[in-house]
Amino acid sequence: MNRVHSAVSAGLSHGVSLLGPLLATLMDVQSNGDELTCHVTLSYFGDMSPNDRAWPARLGKVGIWSSELRSVPAAASEDAAAELDALGFRALWMPGLNGGPVFDDAARLLTAAPNATVSLGVLGIWHQSAGQLGADAAAVTARFPGRLLTGLGVSSPESAAAAGRDFGKPLASMSRYLDALDAAATPLLAGQRILGALGLKMAKLAAERTAGFHPFLVPARASADYRAHVGAETLLAPYLAVVLETDPDRARAIARAGIGMFIGFPSYQQNLRRLGFTEADLVPDGSDHLIDELVAWGDLDTVGSRIQHHLDAGADHVALHVLSDTPGLPLPQWRRLSGLVT
C-alpha cells in the first residue's frame, strides 16, 4: 500500500459565482494488485476573498430581520423560519448580541428554512475569542455551505467592559479582531463575514476585509454615501424598521417603542449628526422628522417605495425589521411583506 499526502485546491461553483475553495487535505492511494483505489478527503472552507458578489443573489432584494427568531421558543422560531422560506424570503437576519448559542440558533433556522441564508446582524466581538467564533461558524458552514453570513460589530464600551476587555478605538479594535480571525486555527474567511459599520472609515474597512456591511438606523440617502465611498463590489445591506400602520401618531408611537432607545446611544447619535440631523432631531426617542426618515411606516405600497429608495441609492439588499405593538412573532405582517419579494 502506498500513501500519498497532498493538498490541492479547486473551485466550487454556486450558481454562476465562485463560492470558494474545496481543499483536498488527504489523498490515500492504495494498491491492490492491478487496481488503485483513491480515497480523497475534502473540506469546505468557503470564500477566501472579500467582496463575494454571490451574496446579493443569495440574499435577494429584501429579507426579514427579527429578534423574535432568537427569543421565542425553538419550535415556534423554526415554524416561523419554515413559513418565511415558503413565502420566498431568502435572507433571515437575527441579532448576534453578545453571542450565547447564536450559532446553534442559526443552525436550527437553516435546517427549518432549506432555501434561505441566515445572517447575524450583528455579533459583538467582545464575548468570544476569534478562535472560538471561527470554529463555531465553520461548524455551521460545513453543514450549510454558502448559507451563513456572520456580522460583527464593536458594540459599546459597556459591552467591552462587561467582558473584561478594553474598548479602545473602534476601528483599531475591529482591525485587531479581524487579524485574529484570519490567524485562527479555523479562520472566519473574509467572504463569510460582514461588519455592522456606520462611519465611513469602518465601511472602508468592511470593503477591504469582509464581504460588506450592514448599517443600522440610516436613511436611504446614506446608502448613496456608502456606495460612493466603498465602490460597486461591496455588499451593502442596510437595516430598515417597518411599521405597517397608516395612522401617523400610532405608527410613530410603535416606531419609538421599537427603536427609540437606540437614538440615545452615542455611536448612533454621532452617525446621525454626520448624516445631517440636528440636536432638535436627537431628542429622547427622536423627532417626528427623524422617525419618518429612519422608519418605513404606512401601507404596503409606501413601504415598498421606501425599500426601493435604498436600492436606488446603491443598496444590494434591505433587511426589514417589523415593529409591532403586539408581542410575539409578527406573522401577519411578514405575510403581507411577502408581496414585495420578487
Side-chain angles (χ1 to χ4, degrees):
M1 180 182 72
N2 296 316
R3 180 181 294 264
V4 179
H5 296 273
S6 65
V8 296
S9 62
L12 174 65
S13 176
H14 182 84
V16 296
S17 301
L18 186 67
L19 182 61
L22 283 170
L23 299 182
T25 57
L26 178 65
M27 177 180 290
D28 289 338
V29 181
Q30 298 181 2
S31 176
N32 182 15
D34 293 332
E35 293 186 2
L36 288 177
T37 303
C38 296
H39 301 278
V40 181
T41 301
L42 298 177
S43 299
Y44 175 80
F45 285 97
D47 188 12
M48 299 183 73
S49 61
N51 309 136
D52 175 10
R53 293 305 291 172
W55 279 114
R58 291 179 216 149
L59 298 173
K61 295 297 185 184
V62 295
I64 293 296
W65 194 105
S66 172
S67 57
E68 293 87 0
L69 287 173
R70 287 198 69 189
S71 63
V72 301
S77 68
E78 290 162 14
D79 288 346
E83 180 168 353
L84 288 168
D85 191 321
L87 290 170
F89 291 103
R90 292 295 168 261
L92 308 182
W93 293 78
M94 62 181 184
L97 305 175
N98 287 328
V102 63
F103 289 103
D104 292 339
D105 292 341
R108 288 192 301 99
L109 298 184
L110 288 165
T111 300
N115 301 298
T117 61
V118 167
S119 301
L120 308 185
V122 294
L123 175 62
I125 63 175
W126 305 109
H127 290 261
Q128 53 280 309
S129 69
Q132 186 61 57
L133 188 148
D136 290 344
V140 177
T141 298
R143 293 175 58 193
F144 307 99
R147 295 176 57 202
L148 176 68
L149 186 58
T150 301
L152 303 169
V154 294
S155 189
S156 66
E158 293 76 15
S159 180
R165 308 278 294 280
D166 177 26
F167 185 72
K169 294 184 179 298
L171 193 69
S173 295
M174 181 57 78
S175 294
R176 284 193 295 271
Y177 198 81
L178 294 177
D179 290 342
L181 282 173
D182 290 341
T186 308
L188 178 63
L189 301 173
Q192 299 171 340
R193 64 198 189 201
I194 58 173
L195 299 185
L198 289 176
L200 295 181
K201 290 181 179 179
M202 192 70 79
K204 189 68 171 177
L205 180 67
E208 292 170 350
R209 301 195 58 185
T210 79
F213 60 110
H214 174 56
F216 182 72
L217 290 187
V218 295
R221 56 190 167 82
S223 289
D225 293 340
Y226 288 133
R227 181 57 72 200
H229 190 70
V230 302
E233 297 304 311
T234 300
L235 173 68
L236 173 54
Y239 161 105
L240 179 63
V242 171
V243 180
L244 285 169
E245 171 58 58
T246 57
D247 178 79
D249 291 337
R250 187 160 183 263
R252 290 172 181 144
I254 293 171
R256 288 186 170 102
I259 66 165
M261 68 173 181
F262 297 107
I263 293 169
F265 289 10
S267 58
Y268 295 122
Q269 288 202 344
Q270 180 181 351
N271 193 56
L272 291 169
R273 289 188 186 97
R274 182 184 67 81
L275 293 170
F277 293 101
T278 69
E279 299 307 310
D281 293 309
L282 300 177
V283 296
D285 292 336
S287 68
D288 284 354
H289 170 64
L290 180 63
I291 293 298
D292 291 350
E293 284 230 38
L294 298 184
V295 180
W297 61 264
D299 60 18
L300 193 63
D301 287 341
T302 301
V303 171
S305 69
R306 293 291 299 276
I307 295 168
Q308 194 60 47
H309 291 165
H310 273 283
L311 298 174
D312 289 344
D316 296 295
H317 171 88
V318 183
L320 306 179
H321 181 198
V322 169
L323 304 177
S324 173
D325 54 3
T326 302
L329 294 160
L331 291 170
Q333 293 94 325
W334 288 346
R335 291 164 185 152
R336 289 175 63 188
L337 289 171
S338 68
L340 301 177
V341 176
T342 57

